[in-house]
Amino acid sequence: MPQTPLLGKSLPELTQWIEETGQPSYRGKQLYRWLYQKGIHNLDEITVFPKAWRTEMADYPVGRSQIHHHRTAPDDTRKYLLKLHDGLIIETVGIPTEKRLTVCVSSQVGCAMDCDFCATGKMGFTRHLKAHEIIDQVLTVQEDFGQRVSHVVYMGMGEPLANLDEVLKSIHRLNKDVGIGQRSLTVSTVGVPDQIRALAEENLQITFAVSLHAPNQALRETIIPTAKNYPFDELLDECREYVDITRRRISFEYILLAGVNDLPEHAEELAKHLKGFQSHVNLIPYNPIDDVPFQRPGKKRINVFRQILQDYKIAVSIRYSKGLEADAACGQLRSNARRSPPRSSEPTGKVTVE
Ligand code: SAH
């Protein structure tokens, strides 16, 4: 039998698998619960299964990663480095707020998009994540916080729409099996030609965010290299189709880089494009990363930008990322242990498992 990890399989698939191991089919449902609800790391943990079977299956891959390292910021945001079965490391962030626990998941190891302002872009692309490796991130944070995850944002390392099949599989499992509502799942993309349409055709009720970051093609392609192959107007047209098909509005993410894309004229131009578009704009003041000359604009500049959009009746919020002090904020994820050493001064006494 090929040893494909169990996490990521649906109830019928697990039932079929359990039968192939010689167990009665009702055990499929038990396995399903232990996998998705109890969050086992090893089949030997399923105490309701026969001892002989558990011993025989103890090495079968469940599909869980190991916490390589984690670190908590003063605002309680927790960043994890997770070690995958092949030794590669990805980053995941747990963001607790009053009523929510949000997980920011990675969809790839690294990223091929190479956006100028993003730390993940600097490390290049290594490989896509499998659905189970995405689901695992959510279960790991849930287990570590001892609290149910309420929201998942695909805003960690990687470009989700460049790995759409596995991302879709993970969405279905997180929704049906982990029990997170579709509206509480957010996929964010910088835009990959035809993939927004492909996602729209799935007709999901998820929240969809597009990283626009500029009000026109010329400026956009100076900060997002892949924009050269995806004209601004085509991107917006595909976004309009998304709204038509799904009847869901789109969130446009707009990173504010001082002196680059944050001037009043940029806000005016953006407003003209988005007027009448069923959308919401999230302004994200730039989070500093190493070796990059961009700067975060001051509060006054940010507020002027927001006011101009509001004057055009465009829904807008300013999103200050959490986790800045643990290098866990938007755009800061880069699986480089050198930048994330365990700090002995940290009160949380973070573990390093090796
Ligand atoms: N590839 C996807 C998802 C990952 S990035 C995308 O581009 O949408 C998640 C969000 O963080 C994106 O909006 C991205 O542009 C933003 N981001 C990247 N680097 C940032 C930085 N240094 N400061 C603030 N936001 C950043």
Side-chain angles (χ1 to χ4, degrees):
M1 220 187 306
Q3 299 217 321
T4 49
L6 297 177
L7 200 62
K9 289 189 196 287
S10 62
L11 175 58
E13 286 166 343
L14 288 172
T15 304
Q16 187 188 339
W17 180 83
I18 205 85
E19 285 171 349
E20 285 166 14
T21 71
Q23 290 296 313
S25 59
Y26 72 88
R27 293 221 183 267
K29 187 127 198 210
Q30 290 178 321
L31 172 61
Y32 171 82
R33 281 208 207 97
W34 283 74
L35 206 54
Y36 290 105
Q37 304 305 322
K38 294 195 191 254
I40 50 161
H41 289 238
N42 190 299
L43 291 178
D44 189 37
E45 292 168 44
I46 314 182
T47 47
V48 294
F49 275 40
K51 185 70 199 148
W53 185 92
R54 285 161 55 197
T55 309
E56 189 191 334
M57 291 295 166
D59 292 331
Y60 195 93
V62 161
R64 300 298 307 269
S65 65
Q66 281 180 328
I67 298 180
H68 179 63
H69 170 63
H70 65 170
R71 175 163 157 191
T72 306
D75 64 13
D76 290 334
T77 295
R78 219 174 275 182
K79 182 174 83 165
Y80 302 82
L81 299 183
L82 302 183
K83 194 175 203 171
L84 306 175
H85 68 94
D86 53 4
L88 292 173
I89 302 277
I90 52 166
E91 298 200 7
T92 301
V93 184
I95 310 156
T97 47
E98 213 176 306
K99 291 196 181 117
R100 297 179 171 193
L101 175 57
T102 301
V103 184
C104 178
V105 293
S106 294
S107 55
Q108 298 178 317
V109 185
C111 187
M113 299 291 136
D114 199 20
C115 299
D116 281 4
F117 44 80
C118 176
T120 307
K122 308 285 162 225
M123 62 182 279
F125 172 74
T126 305
R127 72 165 170 87
H128 294 302
L129 291 186
K130 292 294 209 184
H132 76 267
E133 293 171 317
I134 299 173
I135 302 162
D136 165 73
Q137 297 172 56
V138 176
L139 296 182
T140 297
V141 174
Q142 188 155 280
E143 196 174 286
D144 193 53
F145 273 82
Q147 182 186 337
R148 283 196 76 79
V149 166
S150 61
H151 292 74
V152 175
V153 295
Y154 288 71
M155 293 189 181
M157 297 164 73
E159 170 44 55
L161 293 199
N163 185 20
L164 186 57
D165 286 352
E166 295 298 316
V167 162
L168 284 173
K169 266 190 230 166
S170 69
I171 286 174
H172 288 301
R173 299 278 69 79
L174 288 173
N175 177 227
K176 294 201 180 83
D177 308 330
V178 182
I180 301 169
Q182 284 198 11
R183 284 163 200 248
S184 305
L185 299 169
T186 302
V187 169
S188 177
T189 182
V190 74
V192 179
D194 300 326
Q195 296 304 292
I196 294 179
R197 191 173 300 111
L199 177 64
E201 282 162 3
E202 295 289 320
N203 225 325
L204 299 169
Q205 293 299 298
I206 60 168
T207 303
F208 182 49
V210 173
S211 297
L212 201 56
H213 303 330
N216 58 55
Q217 175 67 12
L219 181 52
R220 194 166 192 265
E221 60 179 52
T222 64
I223 51 178
I224 302 173
T226 55
K228 293 191 185 76
N229 310 320
Y230 198 9
F232 193 80
D233 292 342
E234 275 178 37
L235 169 63
L236 284 189
D237 281 347
E238 236 182 287
C239 289
R240 273 188 204 95
E241 268 185 65
Y242 185 93
V243 174
D244 285 346
I245 295 174
T246 62
R247 306 262 154 228
R248 303 270 301 152
R249 72 176 185 178
I250 287 188
S251 295
F252 286 107
E253 311 288 303
Y254 194 102
I255 185 172
L256 289 167
L257 305 165
V260 176
N261 66 354
D262 68 335
L263 303 177
E265 67 223 48
H266 297 131
E268 294 272 348
E269 201 179 354
L270 180 66
K272 283 175 190 151
H273 281 296
L274 299 188
K275 195 147 178 43
F277 201 126
Q278 253 195 29
S279 63
H280 183 103
V281 176
N282 282 319
L283 300 175
I284 321 173
Y286 168 67
N287 296 316
I289 59 166
D290 293 347
D291 314 324
V292 169
F294 294 121
Q295 275 171 5
R296 172 183 278 214
K299 280 227 161 82
K300 208 165 147 206
R301 185 70 77 74
I302 297 172
N303 287 336
V304 169
F305 200 99
R306 173 178 58 184
Q307 190 57 51
I308 294 171
L309 294 180
Q310 280 174 339
D311 290 346
Y312 279 88
K313 307 267 177 294
I314 289 168
V316 54
S317 341
I318 300 174
R319 214 181 67 197
Y320 283 97
S321 309
K322 297 192 82 190
L324 259 183
E325 295 86 345
D327 275 353
C330 281
Q332 294 190 314
L333 304 187
R334 172 158 60 178
S335 68
N336 180 342
R338 186 174 51 81
R339 289 173 61 256
S340 311
R343 283 191 187 160
S344 52
S345 60
E346 273 178 357
T348 39
K350 293 302 121 199
V351 291
T352 307
V353 186
E354 267 257 78

